Amino acid sequence: MEKEIIRIKRIKGELRVPSDKSISHRSVILTSMADGVSTVKNFLKAGDTLTTINVYRKLGVKIEENGGLIKVLGRGLKGFVEPDDVLDMGNSGTTTRLTLGVLAGQEFFSVMTGDGSLRKRPMGRVTQPLRNMNADIDGRNRGSLLPISVRGSKLKGISFFNEKASAQVKSALIIAGMNAEGETVIEEPFKSRDHTEKMLQFMGAPITVSEGDVYRVTIKTTERLNPIDVEVPADPSSAAFFAAAALIVPDSSLILKEVLVNPTRDGFFRKLQEMGADIRYENVREKTGEIVADIHVNYSPHLRGIKVERKDIPSMVDEIPVFAVVATQVEGETVITGASELRVKESDRIKAVVENLRNVGVVVEELEDGMIIKGKQKIKGGYVDSYKDHRIAMAFSILGLISEEGIKIKDADCAYISYPEFFEHLQSVVER
Ligand code: S3P
């Protein structure tokens, strides 16, 4: 489906964007491994997280839905059942990589595949360390591309340096580590999102973390996980689109309710504050071990260009496309480097952003690991390709709001992967 977004007058109001995707995935995957019944309030119902529910049902987990509440009847750490068919991971990298960690320590054979985008994404970063833990894994390109098969085996703990600071890799190894003999230690040069660690601590797992020169997680062989009741806050990665809109559309003011502001996730908002954005956290509080806030955003006409470097990337990795959109409207230059991970997301997001910015009249320089965006540019408008990547579709919808001739987005319906209500929510806060 193609969608056209045209210039608007302003953004006004309040919005509770859908629940956090990362926490929603973990709320099903980890509670499936508990001994007993867990409940999840405000589970995200979107393409990727529904994939997780489907996959865990195929692995024998009873998951009941009752309105906004999900009940997961955990099967214990090694209690999954052999699926009778290939598992379809759809578009979801998180489901795939975390589930590899689950399956490696079970006592059966399974195969997983995914859509055209997921089948291109690198899985060796998970399958290689899992093999070092003694996992029996095969697949295309020596086990680094889907389809991938896993024959469950007896795992042993390892020490691993998570060079890319990938939360999916870290989480897969933590999960496998629970079913492994001995201790598994994972170190990261920059701390990636820590929802797995937080939730497992909440469930009583023998997991410890320490922060110094590197961030270190240690997990021991785990006997059991306690069931929990989780409430999922709003997703900062989804809130980022609306915050960006309020910042760049004149005379706007918006309150984003109950947003997760865990420091491993709110880098987008902090970087924008550094650029001079009028963004305030109000009513900061804790919800099942995570920090949430209402985020108040006002139009900010005097933003200044800054540098975004490798150390900044993990806490804003999914927000770079919409950050680039804001960067077209600031004074001076914005230089983004250290972001080569963007090349292997749902699309090559560096290429997708650079090409699409050029298509709508923006001058931008592509770097191997980022881009340089000149500020205060006129957005003429035109045609962009989402590459069926949800975050590209939504980022360019926001740019459409300040375009002279409107922006038409190819395959805009892919927004359903993380945010099915995106276009309705946009309608509800715009004034024409
Ligand atoms: C995620 C981790 C990040 C992020 C993805 C979700 C997670 O990926 O981009 O959207 O839930 O663990 P990487 O682990 O590849 O950095």
Side-chain angles (χ1 to χ4, degrees), residues 6 12 20-21 52 73 76 96 104 130 164 214 287 291 305 307 315 320 327 395 401 412 422 426:
I6 55 168
K12 275 261 145 59
D20 190 65
K21 186 154 83 69
T52 291
L73 283 67
T96 307
L130 283 176
K164 296 182 199 305
V214 294
K287 262 198 179 165
I291 304 170
K307 284 195 167 67
S315 67
I320 298 292
L401 301 173
F422 177 75
L426 190 54

Side-chain angles (χ1 to χ4, degrees), residues 36-291:
V37 182
S38 296
T39 63
V40 187
K41 201 173 153 193
N42 292 337
F43 180 83
L44 169 68
K45 287 192 182 148
D48 268 8
T49 47
L50 293 174
T51 291
T52 291
I53 289 197
N54 284 336
V55 166
Y56 281 78
R57 281 188 172 142
K58 295 254 160 65
L59 291 168
V61 184
K62 209 161 168 213
I63 301 168
E64 293 168 3
E65 290 181 58
N66 194 350
L69 199 73
I70 297 233
K71 243 193 204 172
V72 183
L73 283 67
R75 298 189 62 97
L77 283 149
K78 282 192 169 184
F80 296 99
V81 300
E82 187 171 86
D84 64 2
D85 203 348
V86 175
L87 297 168
D88 182 2
M89 315 313 259
N91 190 245
S92 180
T94 308
T95 316
T96 307
R97 296 195 178 114
L98 271 60
T99 301
L100 279 165
V102 173
L103 295 175
Q106 304 300 313
E107 286 173 2
F108 53 73
F109 175 77
S110 52
V111 184
M112 51 173 78
T113 189
D115 71 9
S117 150
L118 194 61
R119 290 198 308 275
K120 287 197 201 108
R121 297 182 63 189
M123 297 299 158
R125 55 182 62 195
V126 182
T127 55
Q128 201 43 54
L130 283 176
R131 279 171 169 164
N132 293 343
M133 294 177 78
N134 200 33
D136 186 356
I137 295 178
D138 211 342
R140 266 196 319 136
N141 198 27
R142 299 176 186 272
S144 64
L145 291 173
L146 293 176
I148 285 175
S149 67
V150 184
R151 187 173 296 283
S153 54
K154 233 173 146 36
L155 303 177
K156 61 173 182 16
I158 55 164
S159 287
F160 178 75
F161 188 68
N162 189 15
E163 173 67 43
K164 296 182 199 305
S166 156
Q168 295 177 354
V169 172
K170 171 175 66 176
S171 300
L173 300 184
I174 293 174
I175 292 170
M178 290 195 290
N179 275 328
E181 206 180 277
E183 212 171 70
T184 299
V185 182
I186 302 134
E187 290 184 341
E188 298 185 317
F190 308 107
K191 182 176 175 182
S192 68
R193 66 193 67 193
D194 60 354
H195 310 304
T196 302
E197 298 92 298
K198 280 203 149 77
M199 204 177 282
L200 285 177
Q201 271 163 351
F202 210 56
M203 299 174 85
I207 183 167
T208 53
V209 302
S210 71
E211 287 182 57
D213 283 349
V214 294
Y215 172 73
R216 179 182 299 117
V217 186
T218 307
I219 178 93
K220 294 194 175 127
T221 316
T222 306
E223 295 308 323
R224 61 164 282 163
L225 293 174
N226 300 321
I228 47 166
D229 298 313
V230 197
E231 192 174 337
V232 189
D235 194 328
S237 304
S238 296
F241 298 108
F242 287 95
L247 287 176
I248 63 174
V249 178
D251 200 22
S252 294
S253 180
L254 187 68
I255 298 176
L256 294 154
K257 306 285 278 186
E258 207 185 68
V259 182
L260 173 73
V261 291
N262 176 323
T264 63
R265 293 290 303 282
D266 75 339
F268 172 79
F269 299 99
R270 284 185 281 113
K271 272 287 165 194
L272 285 166
Q273 283 169 336
E274 202 182 310
M275 294 166 94
D278 184 352
I279 295 179
R280 272 167 294 141
Y281 290 1
E282 291 163 356
N283 195 11
V284 181
R285 57 214 186 264
E286 205 183 299
K287 262 198 179 165
T288 43
E290 293 280 4
I291 304 170

Side-chain angles (χ1 to χ4, degrees), residues 10 26 39 132 138 193 206 212 223 249 272 314 318 331 343 380 388 411:
R10 66 178 76 87
R26 288 157 174 80
T39 63
N132 293 343
D138 211 342
R193 66 193 67 193
E223 295 308 323
V249 178
L272 285 166
D318 293 335
E331 280 153 26
R343 297 238 179 240
K380 184 169 179 296
K388 298 193 177 147
D411 296 321

Side-chain angles (χ1 to χ4, degrees), residues 338-355:
S340 48
E341 273 296 291
L342 264 69
R343 297 238 179 240
V344 291
K345 293 291 177 190
E346 287 84 328
S347 67
D348 175 344
R349 285 183 176 160
I350 294 177
K351 175 170 168 273
V353 168
V354 167
E355 279 185 5

